[in-house]
Amino acid sequence: MSEIGFYRDENDDLYVQGIKISSLAEKYGTPLFIYDAGLMRQSYDIFMDAINKVKGNIHYAVKANDALSIISYFAKLGCGADIVSIGEFEKCVAAGMSPQKIIFSGVGKDNNEIELALKNNVLQFNIESEEELNDISKIASRLKLTANICLRVNPDIAPKTHKKISTGEKETKFGIDFQNVVSIYEKLHQLDYINPVGLGVHIGSQIFDFNFFYRAYFNLKKLADDLKLRGYKVPALDLGGGIGIHYSKNLKPDFSNYKKIVLDLFEKSDYQLSFEPGRSLIAEAGVLITKVIRNKKTKDKHFIIVDAAMNNLIRPTLYDAYHKIEPIKKTSKSEIIADIVGPICETGDFLALDRKINKVNSSDLLAIRTTGAYASVMKSNYNARKDAIEVMVYNEKDFRIKKSETIKDMIAKEEIIIFD
Ligand code: LLP
């Protein structure tokens, strides 16, 4: 049995589960995403260990990576899903997940999506406004189908993460203001075809200071306890996702601290808890392999131009995110400082800026690490570029899980007007 995760052999070649990464790049081409099912399983097991003393279920946040094989593997391990569109719902069902394990979140579910989710017996709707409740109630009454409703609370907490992925402050579009929760929860009990199931929070993503989780969960529990004292039923709490992962250091997410918080607050309570981790389950399990097109040197800078670009990994330019980048085989010992950039015609098309890296030559392969989450799902076809092929390594065998769309496929989607 080989090591779990990506590792180097004595010749400094990068491997996963006994398979040379360079051989996968040769077999499938680049840019190429490779996912290690071993690391997925490891993250799942560690997360489960953090919550196994409370009544908790994992609902994998499919938005992090919605490849069918990835959803299917997490489903096989026992996860449900957290989704934010009917497209994600259909992907989950196609991957073999039961609708009864799917939580429908999201601030802008449209009426068609609500109707389809209801007809398909989704587990619950996490709703974000009274207006949304009114729409769901109308649709549920017309269909004579009961909707399970959880209120997503906005706890007005700023969890010190990048502002584009911070969702817990009252200025954001997310959740229901704390002071309105009681009246809306009361209303749930008055409407036909509405079944109140509880409260939820999700304060943001890539959170390292767990005091923010503590505060959010503490306040949520207090609110739920208070509703119960008033005689309302609050069987479940949804604690969202957001655990930070280390992109630059080789460290696991701080699940043990998370476990402490969860046990501290909930070990003695009987709330049914759901957790919605995305990044912490899948980010580390993915690498993006790219080939060096050429080096370009100017008076001031060294650029390494590669065949992956912001259309494959937008995180560096969108969130100033750091992803470790390393040659698959270090052919030179000397190091340079370079911008690692894609071929897209935008200054913002970079994967790393001013990065120290071993010298590389045309055709060398680089691994962009920790790209299992929010990478391939955020792809585009900008500059008429194809998306990357995706491969999963499971039980020491590689499987292609996604083909790259061809330029022909892209052209076939369009129609040309006949101009006369
Ligand atoms: N639940 C809800 C309601 C969410 O909105 C999210 C993420 C999650 C769970 C999962 O959070 P996680 O455990 O993955 O942090 N594209 C950005 C991240 C956006 C996160 C959106 N919501 C990035 O690349 O950093």
Side-chain angles (χ1 to χ4, degrees):
M1 197 55 198
S2 50
E3 264 180 66
I4 291 185
F6 301 93
Y7 59 93
R8 291 187 182 269
D9 71 354
E10 61 287 355
N11 298 320
D12 205 32
D13 280 310
L14 195 65
Y15 275 78
V16 61
Q17 295 192 28
I19 302 173
K20 229 179 179 174
I21 296 288
S22 57
S23 72
L24 294 178
E26 201 171 303
K27 180 167 170 189
Y28 296 104
T30 55
L32 172 71
F33 281 101
I34 301 171
Y35 305 106
D36 175 22
L39 274 174
M40 291 167 65
R41 161 140 225 161
Q42 191 184 58
S43 300
Y44 168 83
D45 286 344
I46 303 175
F47 202 105
M48 267 325 270
D49 173 68
I51 64 167
N52 72 5
K53 284 216 176 89
V54 290
K55 273 203 301 182
N57 292 318
I58 298 181
H59 291 265
Y60 164 60
V62 162
K63 62 173 80 67
N65 191 323
D66 62 16
L68 296 185
S69 291
I70 285 178
I71 301 174
S72 167
Y73 188 55
F74 281 131
K76 181 175 169 291
L77 294 178
C79 290
D82 165 60
I83 58 152
V84 288
S85 73
I86 210 68
E88 285 187 351
F89 177 83
E90 283 174 18
K91 289 197 94 171
C92 287
V93 172
M97 186 168 293
S98 155
Q100 268 297 291
K101 294 184 97 174
I102 299 178
I103 295 177
F104 196 172
S105 302
V107 70
K109 309 166 192 80
D110 75 23
N111 290 349
N112 290 328
E113 293 184 304
I114 293 168
E115 177 159 345
L116 271 165
L118 263 172
K119 283 183 177 158
N120 282 286
N121 209 13
V122 81
L123 173 66
Q124 82 190 40
F125 294 86
N126 285 3
I127 69 160
E128 309 220 8
S129 64
E130 187 167 2
E131 293 86 342
E132 184 183 347
L133 172 63
N134 295 337
D135 286 342
I136 295 182
S137 159
K138 269 189 229 146
I139 297 165
S141 303
R142 172 166 55 78
L143 298 174
K144 300 195 174 10
L145 291 170
T146 298
N148 294 327
I149 301 290
C150 163
L151 301 192
R152 173 170 173 184
V153 177
N154 181 317
D156 197 20
I157 286 175
K160 280 207 212 123
T161 181
H162 193 281
K163 74 171 185 329
K164 288 185 183 148
I165 54 173
S166 181
T167 57
E169 299 104 302
K170 65 176 181 330
E171 295 75 24
T172 67
K173 65 182 173 181
F174 297 105
I176 295 171
D177 284 347
F178 230 81
Q179 63 273 17
N180 297 332
V181 171
V182 173
S183 67
I184 300 179
Y185 209 81
E186 276 169 2
K187 188 167 169 183
L188 296 181
H189 290 73
Q190 290 145 17
L191 294 169
D192 292 333
Y193 296 102
I194 293 292
N195 180 38
V197 293
L199 304 175
V201 274
H202 171 76
I203 54 174
S205 199
Q206 196 52 352
I207 295 168
F208 288 97
D209 183 343
F210 286 11
N211 290 320
F212 294 112
F213 285 129
Y214 190 90
R215 259 175 51 209
Y217 298 170
F218 179 87
N219 292 342
L220 191 78
K221 180 167 177 283
K222 207 156 144 258
L223 195 55
D225 291 346
D226 182 45
L227 285 167
K228 288 213 286 195
L229 282 176
R230 290 166 188 250
Y232 298 113
K233 58 168 191 160
V234 192
L237 298 178
D238 184 332
L239 303 183
I243 296 179
I245 62 145
H246 299 277
Y247 283 97
S248 54
K249 296 177 226 147
N250 208 4
L251 285 174
K252 294 276 169 206
D254 191 1
F255 287 116
S256 62
N257 212 357
Y258 191 73
K259 178 176 185 171
K260 245 188 250 154
I261 290 172
V262 170
L263 288 188
D264 217 40
L265 289 168
F266 298 106
E267 196 174 11
K268 295 201 180 76
S269 76
D270 65 347
Y271 291 109
Q272 175 66 52
L273 300 177
S274 36
F275 298 84
E276 300 171 351
R279 191 190 314 261
S280 55
L281 291 190
I282 184 67
E284 195 193 349
V287 292
L288 172 58
I289 306 302
T290 182
K291 191 187 273 176
V292 175
I293 296 175
R294 67 179 66 87
N295 287 279
K296 170 177 172 174
K297 289 174 218 164
T298 67
K299 197 161 117 319
D300 303 306
K301 293 224 60 114
H302 190 137
F303 298 97
I304 298 173
I305 307 173
V306 298
D307 69 355
M310 66 191 275
N311 74 305
N312 307 111
L313 178 67
I314 201 169
R315 301 193 72 260
T317 191
L318 190 58
Y319 313 116
D320 308 306
Y322 177 97
H323 285 264
K324 206 163 159 187
I325 303 183
E326 56 194 318
I328 281 189
K329 190 170 180 91
K330 292 176 190 143
T331 44
S332 162
K333 283 214 167 65
S334 61
E335 288 182 325
I336 53 165
I337 303 284
D339 285 4
I340 301 166
V341 299
I344 285 180
C345 288
E346 285 231 14
T347 306
D349 177 29
F350 58 84
L351 302 163
L353 296 178
D354 293 322
R355 185 65 65 82
K356 193 192 255 186
I357 184 166
N358 295 74
K359 267 189 178 166
V360 289
N361 298 311
S362 302
S363 298
D364 282 359
L365 296 168
L366 304 181
I368 309 176
R369 300 294 294 266
T370 329
T371 44
Y374 305 115
S376 132
V377 274
M378 295 178 79
K379 69 180 177 234
S380 76
N381 293 124
Y382 190 32
N383 280 196
R385 285 173 53 84
K386 302 182 290 180
D387 44 10
I389 298 161
E390 299 185 38
V391 163
M392 188 190 278
V393 179
Y394 172 69
N395 276 350
E396 306 189 342
K397 284 198 205 78
D398 51 291
F399 299 88
R400 185 178 66 187
I401 62 170
K402 216 185 261 180
K403 288 186 202 162
S404 166
E405 149 178 76
T406 63
I407 302 294
K408 248 193 186 161
D409 296 331
M410 276 190 230
I411 291 174
K413 277 196 223 159
E414 296 192 38
E415 282 174 33
I416 307 179
I417 300 174
I418 311 294
F419 298 103
D420 43 30

